[in-house]
């Protein structure tokens, strides 16, 4: 018998069906990729296995784990299984970890509760588990708190928590969505090694099909609460039998319908000189005076706390002598690991943070204090999490109209809001609703409408599609390309997803430790990177093998 066998699982809330006839099996040491759009039922399937369904949910069918029917167990019995036999890693480790407890105490607590271990013994095992997930003692003592770690390090703590009791089954729900490509690769390699070394079954829930291609032995595709297709990974990718699977695969390699046109700055050539004394320098061989945004020698320095009393303050050069230009109508990508300085540079471009050296000019106006309000209206931003960037108590028409405070609210502002909503594919009457009434993709469309309402010349897109599933992401990228063509918009596209950057930008900047280490035409940079760090980023990025996608064109899907 399989380690895990789900047999015709149905789940409903107040007579509304959520899962319908879900049937899955999983062997020890096997990795299953569970994919599908947001709302397809992936997470609810995982929560059914964990016995963590919301109040009012009604589940029928069978979920067998090592011969036990989990749906027939009491809450006390399930508490004994969670952690012991089943572990779970959640998408956002900062919310999954207790901010008031040290990482050592959090991992040790699991051992103390389930195994009744003395605290000293539990902490010793916690130390070993943290070492196992790549957090060695000299650099990561047990006394650290979650806020003192990076996103990737917090995710490693969450993994150590989940495997502390050596469970037979591990469920990872979008464990790498918010991580940069190198950290993502490290976490995925760790999960794969743990599954193989400890003969642990792993369910990997994700909307990133490239991650599944590199990780999973088998794939199960969910839609509207049902498994519509399942099978070994490579054959399924090469020849999907269900039309929905084919649509997901097509969306994962989607290129926008309207290609971004190069601006004047896109003709610049950048060549890497020989590295001297460990410093890479770059020489620009041509210059355009038609740039919309000019960043010249931008430097942002933070003073850090003294390491000891009366010692000098160490300095962190978050942005270090950065220079580049963006032309009208141009789409430029900015990539790099978390902590490389992308966000600090973005805040400076938006006029939110001052520079210690260098300058930023938008059109004819220097960015910063004293910048005219009308000039500030030329740049707008779309954030990664649209729900977090909106006031949930205000109606959509008020939210979209917010940028009018820069230019003055015109008498026809409601008509303009209706037009902006229509332009991003929503209905004018949606302005009367609240933000919680929309899906993730619709919220991102509202965020784009808000950015467009005062007709800016430059839009900064900060991880604007990273949280969206592949089909919604493709729709938003198409929308951005269409709006760019019709309004001559320039985009600064900040993203961890290198495949998106390659598909939607004409030029790319690579940032490492506060410096731009490589920049140039996107396709040339991706095809023949000149800097070792760029090559490292590209090597770490997951991708579907091109041969799998070529064969897919010859498959005959079943209707």
């Amino acid at each position: 018998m399989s380690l895990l066998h789900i047999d015709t699982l149905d789940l409903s809330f107040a007579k509304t069906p959520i899962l319908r006839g879900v049937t899955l099996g999983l062997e020890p040491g096997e990795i299953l990729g569970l994919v599908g759009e947001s709302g397809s039922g992936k997470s609810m399937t995982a929560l059914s296995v964990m016995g963590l369904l919301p109040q009012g949910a009604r589940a029928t069918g069978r979920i067998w784990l090592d011969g036990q029917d989990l749906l027939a167990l009491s809450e006390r019995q399930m508490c004994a299984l969670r952690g012991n036999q089943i572990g779970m890693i959640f998408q956002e480790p900062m919310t999954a970890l207790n901010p008031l407890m040290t990482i050592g105490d959090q991992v040790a607590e699991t051992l103390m509760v389930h195994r009744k271990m003395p605290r000293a013994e539990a902490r010793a095992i916690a130390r070993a588990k943290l070492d196992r997930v790549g957090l060695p003692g000299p650099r990561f003592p047990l006394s650290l708190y979650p806020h003192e770690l990076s996103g990737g390090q917090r995710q490693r703590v969450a993994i150590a928590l989940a495997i502390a009791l050596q469970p037979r089954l591990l469920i990872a729900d979008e464990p790498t969505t918010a991580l940069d490509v190198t950290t993502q690769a490290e976490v995925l390699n760790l999960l794969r090694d743990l599954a193989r070394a400890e003969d642990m079954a792993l369910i990997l829930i994700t909307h990133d099909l490239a991650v599944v291609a590199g990780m999973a032995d088998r794939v199960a595709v969910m839609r509207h609460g049902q498994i519509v297709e399942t099978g070994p990974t490579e054959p399924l990718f090469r020849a999907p039998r269900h039309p929905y699977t084919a649509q997901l695969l097509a969306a994962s390699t989607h290129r926008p319908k309207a290609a971004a046109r190069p601006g004047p700055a896109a003709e610049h050539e950048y060549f890497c000189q020989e590295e001297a004394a460990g410093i890479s320098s770059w020489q620009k061989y041509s210059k355009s005076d038609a740039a919309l945004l000019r960043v010249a020698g931008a430097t942002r320095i933070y003073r850090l706390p003294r390491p000891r009393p009366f010692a000098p303050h160490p300095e962190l050069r978050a942005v270090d002598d950065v220079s580049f230009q963006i032309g009208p109508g141009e789409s430029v990508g900015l990539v790099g690991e978390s902590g490389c300085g992308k966000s600090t540079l973005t805040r400076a471009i938006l006029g939110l943070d001052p520079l210690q050296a260098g300058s930023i000019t938008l059109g004819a106006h220097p960015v910063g204090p004293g910048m005219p309000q009308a000039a500030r209206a030329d740049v707008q931003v779309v954030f990664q999490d649209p729900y977090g960037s909106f006031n949930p108590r205000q109606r959509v028409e008020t939210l979209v109209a917010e940028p009018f405070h820069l230019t003055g609210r015109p008498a026809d502002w409601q008509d303009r809001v209706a037009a902006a909503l229509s332009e991003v594919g929503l209905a004018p009457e949606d302005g009367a609703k609240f933000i919680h009434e929309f899906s993730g993709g619709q919220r991102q469309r509202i965020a784009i409408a808000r950015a467009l309402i005062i007709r800016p010349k430059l839009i900064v897109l900060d991880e604007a599609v990273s949280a969206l599933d592949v089909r919604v992401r493709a729709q938003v990228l198409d929308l951005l390309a269409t709006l760019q063509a019709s309004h001559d918009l320039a985009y600064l596209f900040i993203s961890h997803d290198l495949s998106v950057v390659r598909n939607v930008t004409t030029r790319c900047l690579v940032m490492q430790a506060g410096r731009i280490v490589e920049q140039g035409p996107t396709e040339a940079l991706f095809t023949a990177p000149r800097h070792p760090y760029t090559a490292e980023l590209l090597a770490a990025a997951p991708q579907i093998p091109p041969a799998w996608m070529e064969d897919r064109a010859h498959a005959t899907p079943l209707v």
Side-chain angles (χ1 to χ4, degrees), residues 18-19 34 37-46 222-225:
I18 305 298
L19 301 178
L34 188 57
E37 294 176 281
S38 298
S40 61
K42 306 186 301 296
S43 294
M44 295 311 299
T45 300
M222 291 197 76
R223 187 187 192 195
H224 301 327

Side-chain angles (χ1 to χ4, degrees), residues 225-284:
Q226 294 179 298
I227 302 290
V228 297
E229 184 168 5
T230 185
T233 304
E234 183 175 343
L236 184 143
F237 273 66
R238 285 183 180 272
R241 297 176 61 81
H242 195 281
Y244 177 69
T245 309
Q247 291 169 8
L248 286 181
L249 289 166
S252 69
T253 54
H254 177 75
R255 288 181 179 268
K257 297 173 184 176
R261 67 172 181 81
E267 298 176 358
H268 297 178
E269 296 290 341
Y270 298 84
F271 296 90
C272 181
Q273 298 178 340
E274 293 295 323
E275 291 192 359
I279 300 175
S280 297
S281 58
W282 293 86
Q283 182 175 357
K284 187 186 299 179

Side-chain angles (χ1 to χ4, degrees), residues 181-182 185-186 337 498 512 529 531-541:
V181 289
T182 51
E186 293 170 359
E337 294 175 292
L498 300 187
Q512 181 190 30
H531 195 277
Y533 177 70
T534 309
E536 181 185 339
L537 283 181
L538 294 174

Side-chain angles (χ1 to χ4, degrees), residues 262-535:
E267 298 176 358
H268 297 178
E269 296 290 341
Y270 298 84
F271 296 90
C272 181
Q273 298 178 340
E274 293 295 323
E275 291 192 359
I279 300 175
S280 297
S281 58
W282 293 86
Q283 182 175 357
K284 187 186 299 179
Y285 284 88
S286 63
K287 183 179 180 181
S288 169
D289 293 325
L292 169 64
L293 176 73
R294 293 184 182 88
V295 179
T299 301
R300 182 75 171 96
I301 302 172
Y302 292 102
R303 295 182 70 192
L304 302 178
R306 290 186 175 96
R308 58 187 182 279
F310 308 112
H313 287 277
E315 291 184 340
L316 172 65
R317 300 180 75 87
V319 177
D320 188 5
D321 193 25
V322 168
S323 299
F324 64 92
Q325 299 180 5
I326 299 179
E330 190 181 14
S331 185
V332 176
L334 177 61
V335 302
E337 294 175 292
S338 297
C340 70
K342 301 189 304 295
S343 296
T344 302
L345 177 60
T346 300
R347 289 196 297 270
I349 291 171
L350 295 171
L352 301 177
D353 275 356
L355 298 175
Q356 277 80 26
S359 64
I360 300 176
T361 306
L362 185 65
H365 300 282
V367 173
M371 185 180 184
Q373 287 285 78
R376 289 185 183 275
D378 285 340
V379 58
Q380 292 291 293
V381 62
V382 177
F383 296 102
Q384 175 178 355
D385 178 12
Y387 192 76
S389 62
F390 286 129
N391 185 336
R393 294 183 176 87
Q394 293 182 341
R395 297 186 186 274
V396 164
E397 64 176 7
T398 304
L399 298 173
V400 173
E402 279 180 340
F404 280 133
H405 79 276
L406 293 172
T407 59
R409 179 173 288 191
D412 64 343
W413 70 272
Q414 289 178 311
D415 292 338
R416 294 196 187 189
V417 168
L421 290 173
S422 297
E423 204 165 21
V424 299
L426 297 173
E429 52 268 26
D430 287 332
K433 298 178 181 178
F434 292 92
I435 198 68
H436 71 268
E437 299 179 69
F438 297 89
S439 68
Q442 289 171 327
R443 290 171 189 163
Q444 202 61 290
R445 289 173 182 266
I446 294 168
I448 295 169
R450 179 173 64 177
L452 282 174
I453 194 74
I454 52 176
R455 292 291 180 256
K457 297 176 181 177
L458 170 68
I459 294 182
V460 178
L461 298 150
D462 189 1
E463 297 286 0
V465 297
S466 65
L468 305 179
D469 58 64
V470 289
R471 290 218 303 173
V472 176
R473 182 183 69 183
Q475 294 166 5
V476 171
L477 292 177
D478 274 341
L479 170 64
L480 291 171
T482 301
L483 294 171
Q484 182 177 39
S486 59
H487 297 300
D488 199 30
L489 289 168
Y491 290 145
L492 176 59
F493 209 105
I494 303 167
S495 180
H496 289 140
D497 191 330
L498 300 187
S499 65
V500 169
V501 171
R502 186 171 190 174
N503 286 340
V504 303
T505 66
T506 55
R507 193 157 51 86
C508 188
L509 316 172
V510 181
M511 199 167 186
Q512 181 190 30
R515 297 180 66 87
I516 301 295
V517 297
E518 184 166 2
Q519 56 180 306
T522 301
E523 195 57 35
L525 187 146
F526 274 70
T527 303
R530 294 174 176 268
H531 195 277
Y533 177 70
T534 309

